[in-house]
DNA sequence: CAGGTGTCTAATGTCGACATTCGACGAATG
DNA sequence: CATTCGTCGAATGTCGACATTAGACACCTG
């Protein structure tokens, strides 16, 4: 196992956990001094970590005021998913011929597992396999610039909305939607690939936005 | 005029200048202590600035070693331009109907000025107007996530390749290429808009990559 | 009572010093 | 001669303290 060397990396992991466990909620300020005391280190590595999280979009920086967990409006959520769809759609379209028969078989396996887990009500597995599926897709591009942005968005959306994903899919639907992506790749229909992936993310984003809006409604 | 309040912002501007004037060249390490002494401040704001430049991609960070001005291979240059084309292409396509008659007239004016400046050999003006043209396009999206990435790429490519842009266009060609973009928007042909803009950036990236490759050839 | 003002607090911004680590150089070894 | 290992310098990583600023609250003023 790889040991984290610098405090900065530990801080990043720690903040991930705080967000995933709702100890840090959207709108909360991430106070450097407080974290420093809690972790028994100085503020310097905390600031380093916050800058990195800023790059991804997991914290929002306001000069002279501090770092905050972003409150995303429904539109912003949809926009972020849409952007990911645009990037992944292009990446997969360009990589179209790069997907070998084995790759397609692997994708089919992902979809099978996803469907099985979904019907068994194993939400966490469904989300994890879905993540693997899309990472597998994006990783087939040789455009590293595009991959960098795709990964940043993927990570941001994953951390911020992981807890909602279990609520919003219907087992058969999620399997069918991902199967459609694999089929479009198999058909080598470039324009089709791009459209299917874009549509997938727009729909996912719309659902997440709805769920999230409903939550803040009940919370208020 | 707005005065820069924090040292960090001054450092960022300073590094921009160092890159534009070739005092910092691709491959060079940006040494914190050196900059701190030169600017008469401590290393803390230098580090802040470097983290922000990292976000844009203007410096490359290697843990425990330092920050370096990236050396981009021809492929990476093309990939970065391509990615910008994908993002801007989608942004403009979606914003298609948002462009009013006045907007289109403004775009035409940009293209006219660009052609005039190009034929007069005023390279700097051509580049600046081109920048305004594309910023005007991108700014018409209401997808802020997409705009954020577009702006980051725009800034990175601008700073790193500003000095090459004067060498690579033919006056009539540059006018014609941008006119094609305006025409495609005017025609309200969504798919056409996206394709024209993507093609524009792929071609621009390819040219820049060629020029840059030729330069490092003669330098070696 | 409303509006502006001053003060106070808690957070970020910056500093200089020390700790740690990477990479280069050169000596010891087979 | 090639290889390994230890040392050293210079750079980043981290620290604790101080400077500065945004925002809240009480106070003054009309």
């Amino acid at each position: 196992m790889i040991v984290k060397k610098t405090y900065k990396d530990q801080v990043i992991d720690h903040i991930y956990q705080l967000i995933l466990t709702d100890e840090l909620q959207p709108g909360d300020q991430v106070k450097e001094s407080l974290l420093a005391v809690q972790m028994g280190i100085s503020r310097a590595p905390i600031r380093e970590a916050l800058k990195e999280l800023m790059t991804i979009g997991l914290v929002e920086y306001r000069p002279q005021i501090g770092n905050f967990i972003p409150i995303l409006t429904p539109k912003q959520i949809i926009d972020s998913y849409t952007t990911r769809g645009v990037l992944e759609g292009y990446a997969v379209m360009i990589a179209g011929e790069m997907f070998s028969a084995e790759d397609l078989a692997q994708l089919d396996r992902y979809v099978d597992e996803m469907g099985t887990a979904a019907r068994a009500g194993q939400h966490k597995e469904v989300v994890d396999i879905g993540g693997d599926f899309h990472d597998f897709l994006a990783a087939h591009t040789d455009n590293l610039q595009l991959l960098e942005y795709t990964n940043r968005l993927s990570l941001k959306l994953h951390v911020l909305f992981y807890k909602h994903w279990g609520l919003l899919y219907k087992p058969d639907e999620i399997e069918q939607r991902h199967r459609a992506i694999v089929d479009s790749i198999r058909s080598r229909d470039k324009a089709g690939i791009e459209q299917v992936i874009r549509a997938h993310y727009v729909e996912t984003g719309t659902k997440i936005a709805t769920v999230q809006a409903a939550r803040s409604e009940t919370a208020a």
Side-chain angles (χ1 to χ4, degrees), chain A:
Chain A
M1 150 147 189
I2 300 172
V3 250
K4 295 299 171 76
K5 284 187 182 176
T6 61
Y7 283 145
K8 180 188 76 174
D9 293 327
Q10 297 180 29
V11 175
I12 291 179
D13 286 347
H14 187 63
I15 295 181
Y16 283 162
Q17 289 309 314
L18 292 179
I19 296 178
L20 287 174
T21 59
D22 279 333
E23 291 170 74
L24 274 176
Q25 296 189 5
D28 285 353
Q29 181 169 5
V30 187
K31 294 172 190 170
E32 300 171 0
S33 319
L34 183 58
L35 266 183
V37 171
Q38 287 175 347
M39 299 189 67
I41 59 178
S42 82
R43 280 173 51 216
I46 309 281
R47 289 176 71 86
E48 301 284 316
L50 287 172
K51 296 295 176 194
E52 192 157 328
L53 293 171
M54 208 178 83
T55 300
I56 301 169
L58 271 181
V59 306
E60 228 173 52
Y61 168 69
R62 302 181 212 166
Q64 305 283 9
I65 299 177
N67 295 275
F68 298 80
I69 309 297
I71 300 176
L72 295 184
T73 64
K75 166 124 181 48
Q76 287 174 316
I77 295 173
I78 295 173
D79 283 351
S80 289
Y81 274 97
T82 301
T83 303
R84 212 202 142 179
V86 170
L87 292 170
E88 186 177 300
Y90 183 82
V92 176
M93 180 193 75
I94 288 300
E97 290 96 9
M98 305 288 292
F99 287 90
S100 65
E102 292 95 301
D103 290 334
L104 287 165
Q106 173 64 41
L107 287 170
D108 274 327
R109 239 169 300 153
Y110 279 136
V111 178
D112 292 341
E113 293 173 17
M114 213 180 306
T116 305
R119 277 181 289 275
Q122 300 171 321
H123 300 312
K124 186 177 179 309
E125 277 68 21
V126 175
V127 173
D128 289 342
I129 297 170
D132 292 343
F133 177 87
H134 286 287
D135 288 343
F136 187 85
L137 283 184
H140 271 71
T141 183
D142 67 344
N143 183 335
L144 296 183
Q145 175 68 71
L146 211 139
L147 188 59
E148 181 184 327
Y149 283 171
T150 302
N151 285 340
R152 284 188 198 174
L153 267 173
S154 168
L155 189 53
K156 166 182 165 182
L157 297 172
H158 181 86
V159 173
L160 286 180
F161 301 114
Y162 187 87
K163 45 184 164 295
H164 296 320
W165 283 357
L167 307 171
L168 53 72
Y169 62 82
K170 296 169 188 168
D172 292 333
E173 188 185 325
I174 194 174
E175 182 173 357
Q176 183 188 346
R177 295 191 55 75
H178 283 84
R179 189 80 67 191
I181 294 176
V182 181
D183 288 342
S184 73
I185 297 173
R186 188 176 280 116
S187 75
R188 310 291 185 194
D189 169 19
K190 293 201 165 212
I193 293 173
E194 198 167 14
Q195 292 310 317
V196 168
I197 292 180
R198 283 186 185 179
H200 173 81
Y201 276 104
V202 170
E203 181 154 331
T204 304
T206 305
K207 281 191 180 179
I208 290 272
T210 307
V211 172
Q212 198 266 0
R215 275 220 171 176
S216 36
E217 202 63 27
T218 57

